[in-house]
Amino acid sequence: MTAYAIAHLRPADGPVHDEVLSYIERIQATMEPYGGRFLVHGAEVEVVEGEWPGALVLVAFPGVEEIRAWYASPAYQEILPLRTRHFDGDVVIVPGVGPEYDAPATAAAMRAARDRSAAVGREEAGKWPEGA
């Protein structure tokens, strides 16, 4: 199942540092052995809710394990400081959903789990404390 590495990067004010440019020049070669490819990189974001200072990078991989292997790889770890010395940011790994994904079914499962949890809570509230 396709998985994604998502980065929300907040570069420092001023011109882009040469180390960052070197990182950008070299990153694709580190991803290729793991099947990674850029889906979003350097595009201007349009904020329709909340705030989004900075840039978005979205990279697709065949799966979560490939992302973990790429991120931990010596090739990527070698260039990572070129970015982190100059950009603050958050990076997450998230599995995608397949074409069979059904949002209403997900809502139904979440509702059922919530209701079961509430029922257990009500049942627990009716019990006497041990030793009472």
Side-chain angles (χ1 to χ4, degrees), residues 2-6 27-41 57-63 66-67 70:
T2 303
Y4 304 93
I6 303 169
I27 187 173
Q28 191 163 335
T30 70
M31 297 182 328
E32 286 172 351
Y34 303 94
R37 63 185 177 85
F38 284 103
L39 298 180
V40 176
H41 191 228
V57 177
L58 176 61
V59 183
F61 285 83
E66 288 85 352
I67 298 174
W70 160 71

Side-chain angles (χ1 to χ4, degrees), residues 6-10 43 45-57:
I6 303 169
H8 178 201
L9 303 176
R10 295 173 295 284
V45 299
E46 179 180 345
V47 179
V48 294
E49 290 185 32
E51 296 180 25
W52 191 275
L56 173 74
V57 177

